[in-house]
Amino acid sequence: MIILIGGPMTVDDGSSLDSRQPVDQDPTSHVTQVSLATSLLWWLTASSLVGRLLDSAGESAFALLVGRRSVVELRHDGSLRRTGLRAVLPGGTTELELTRTSFDEPLPDSYTEAHRLESWDGTVMGTVGFKTAAPNRRWRFLKGNEFYLDKAGERIGAAVLIDTSESLTHDGDLLPDRYAAFEQRRLMKSNSILVMPHTHRSESLVRGYLAWVRGGRPAAEKISAPITAWDPTAPPDPVHYTCPVPIEAQFGVTGLVQDGEWRDPSDLEAARVLLQARYDLKIGIWDLVGNPTLRNTLLSSAPLAAAPAQAAPIPVGAAQRAQRSVAAKAAEKAEAEHSLDQIAASFRRLKPLGWKRPAEGHGIMHLPLTDNYPQWPGDDPCPLVQLTFEISKRQATVSAFTILYNQVDISQYIADRHETFERIAAPDLFPLPLGKSSHLVLWRAPGGWADNVDWADRAAALSERTLHWRAALQDLCNQCKHAHAKKFQRHPHPFL
């Protein structure tokens, strides 16, 4: 079942639009998507429905939330203030952490195994598992890579999935591979209930998906799409920073798909409205919708008004706010580049040690710790392990990264040797790894490009630390070389 929630709204500049209608210069409906996903009014509507759905599903039922974790409100000066969703959702929130182990690594005892990844010859390539910090909470934010929901979703067993992300509605055509991902990562069970903001793009995704299913789920044709080069000097797109804030809305259930067909959502919306107003009623929401006597006696269903067909202009207030954000970011970027170009001269002494500055990298240097290898046949070769030195506005860091993060646990490697890495970083900070990550900070010092820092002194200290980091990470480099060779002994693409 798919439930879409949206409708007419008046936003902070006084203009009105319907979340379901297209928006000028916004083919992916980013403006209406982010407006609903961060709207207190939308979440009050959604939680009033989902809460009753969970009541009907049983005492242990919970909702899994994929996407944003905050709502925004307008300050008096026109800026936006964020508030965590945990303050809005009744019944308590927690995190559900989804992880994948490397080849030979077992899941920690606190995790529930969901799926074992196997290669073509049956070799175990890793395990997908999950854990919940507070199992009694009915609202659970997904933490981790949603890619593995297709492997773990059914075992996780959420009664409702609320998707406010844009991972399946982002740029690009809606093609069969998108529909397959939608089915695998959002409709994991036959009785799954998916709740989404109702935008023009989300409705197009659902309609395309249903047509794809009716057509027998055809595979995508292989299309050689032109590669668009990324231009790091291009200014940000203001649309990506545009967030109209609804101040009045008639949000409700505006779309309902059941058994692969669109249904009239008016009875479900009427039941939601009644139960929201009469919280003392102990009637299940599906009893209200499905029982003819209760439905005819208690519900006042109204026909759903169609969304305007014409495209709505981007609300002026939100557009102006976005332009100010883009201008501020551009000004800060220019200031940063100017400061970092001046700082760069102090770090020339790192180049003989192997540190390299990327062509477009202001404030970034890389130190390869291995030769270059392709991650897969045909890929451009790159180091298996490298360090990255980065200067931000208020601090500087050195971090370690491996492209083989699914085969070699760099977090555990560094945690097992934390005393060594603490000595190397001293007197500055070495943050002890918390959880599994592919990027590990080995050194952090306060003071960035906007501060008064003796960069020559810092470069000298990093020169000395570089020698110690090379030695301390040598065994990790050897493990990665071994894992890479082992991977290439198997089928070149083990999941195909």
Side-chain angles (χ1 to χ4, degrees), residues 52-228:
R52 290 295 186 165
L53 295 176
L54 296 178
D55 291 341
S56 296
E59 185 177 348
S60 61
F62 65 91
L64 183 64
L65 282 62
V66 180
R68 299 175 185 272
R69 298 190 182 195
S70 62
V71 294
V72 299
E73 297 175 283
L74 202 64
R75 292 192 179 101
H76 294 301
D77 62 359
S79 63
L80 301 182
R81 179 173 70 89
R82 295 190 176 275
T83 302
L85 267 176
R86 61 182 179 275
V88 177
L89 300 173
T93 65
T94 187
E95 285 188 336
L96 186 145
E97 185 174 355
L98 183 61
T99 190
R100 175 213 163 152
T101 66
S102 58
F103 279 78
D104 303 318
E105 178 191 5
L107 277 172
D109 292 338
S110 57
Y111 285 78
T112 299
E113 181 177 320
H115 184 83
R116 289 193 177 185
L117 302 170
E118 295 184 352
S119 68
W120 62 279
D121 63 356
T123 303
V124 175
M125 307 292 290
T127 304
V128 177
F130 64 92
K131 72 171 182 178
T132 304
N136 61 328
R137 304 288 174 84
R138 61 172 15 192
W139 306 93
R140 305 182 187 181
F141 295 105
L142 178 68
K143 178 183 179 182
N145 191 342
E146 71 158 65
F147 176 81
Y148 295 111
L149 279 176
D150 67 329
K151 307 298 183 187
E154 186 169 0
R155 186 66 191 275
I156 288 171
V160 181
L161 191 150
I162 306 176
D163 180 18
T164 60
S165 74
E166 295 180 82
S167 59
L168 295 171
T169 59
H170 56 76
D171 294 345
D173 295 331
L174 297 178
L175 296 172
D177 56 347
R178 190 85 62 101
Y179 303 139
F182 179 71
E183 183 173 75
Q184 294 162 3
R185 302 181 205 168
R186 297 296 185 267
L187 305 172
M188 293 86 69
K189 302 188 299 179
S190 59
N191 61 344
S192 293
I193 299 179
L194 171 65
V195 175
M196 301 171 65
H198 196 165
T199 68
H200 187 265
R201 179 73 163 182
S202 64
E203 181 174 329
S204 298
L205 173 67
V206 174
R207 290 191 181 279
Y209 165 71
L210 295 177
W212 176 71
V213 172
R214 288 193 294 269
R217 296 179 173 85
E221 296 182 8
K222 299 297 184 182
I223 301 175
S224 297
I227 298 176
T228 303

Side-chain angles (χ1 to χ4, degrees), residues 248-494:
E248 292 182 4
Q250 292 81 51
F251 291 147
V253 179
T254 47
L256 176 62
V257 174
Q258 197 167 12
D259 299 325
E261 300 290 340
W262 289 97
R263 309 290 186 188
D264 182 358
S266 56
D267 286 339
L268 181 58
E269 169 59 10
R272 182 198 69 79
V273 171
L274 174 65
L275 293 174
Q276 185 181 31
R278 292 288 307 278
Y279 57 86
D280 57 312
L281 287 179
K282 304 303 180 184
I283 303 175
I285 192 168
W286 296 122
D287 294 328
L288 276 173
V289 173
N291 185 300
T293 301
L294 292 175
R295 185 172 64 243
N296 295 330
T297 303
L298 297 176
L299 299 186
S300 300
S301 302
L304 177 66
Q310 73 275 17
I314 293 178
V316 173
Q320 292 174 342
R321 196 162 48 241
Q323 290 287 359
R324 290 194 296 269
S325 295
V326 169
K329 289 181 180 296
E332 182 171 306
K333 181 181 178 182
E335 181 186 0
E337 290 179 355
H338 176 72
S339 298
L340 290 168
D341 285 341
Q342 293 181 320
I343 292 169
S346 300
F347 290 93
R348 289 174 184 158
R349 65 186 303 163
L350 295 180
K351 290 184 179 180
L353 297 175
W355 288 94
K356 302 175 182 178
R357 181 181 177 183
E360 298 295 338
H362 293 274
I364 294 179
M365 297 184 77
H366 298 302
L367 175 64
L369 296 182
T370 69
D371 293 334
N372 292 337
Y373 299 82
Q375 188 168 10
W376 295 109
D379 288 354
D380 292 334
C382 59
L384 300 179
V385 184
Q386 73 173 6
L387 299 184
T388 297
F389 170 49
E390 184 170 5
I391 303 172
S392 62
K393 186 173 184 177
R394 298 298 180 191
Q395 68 176 8
T397 59
V398 170
S399 58
F401 169 74
T402 174
I403 63 171
L404 298 178
Y405 48 83
N406 280 329
Q407 289 80 43
V408 178
D409 190 348
I410 186 174
S411 300
Q412 191 61 51
Y413 180 93
I414 291 175
D416 290 344
R417 299 159 177 81
H418 67 91
E419 292 182 353
T420 297
F421 288 100
E422 283 176 351
R423 284 195 300 270
I424 297 173
D428 296 318
L429 179 65
F430 162 67
L432 187 66
L434 297 175
K436 188 174 181 179
S437 174
S438 59
H439 290 78
L440 273 296
V441 176
L442 303 181
W443 169 84
R444 177 182 289 136
W449 58 260
D451 299 308
N452 185 16
V453 175
D454 187 339
W455 294 107
D457 181 67
R458 185 163 287 182
L462 284 180
S463 296
E464 183 177 348
R465 289 189 176 102
T466 296
L467 303 176
H468 297 298
W469 280 324
R470 276 190 181 277
L473 292 168
Q474 186 58 53
D475 287 344
L476 176 71
C477 294
N478 292 335
Q479 290 178 28
C480 289
K481 292 175 185 177
H482 176 74
H484 185 269
K486 185 177 179 182
K487 182 171 72 170
F488 268 59
Q489 290 172 0
R490 301 187 176 101
H491 190 280
H493 290 280

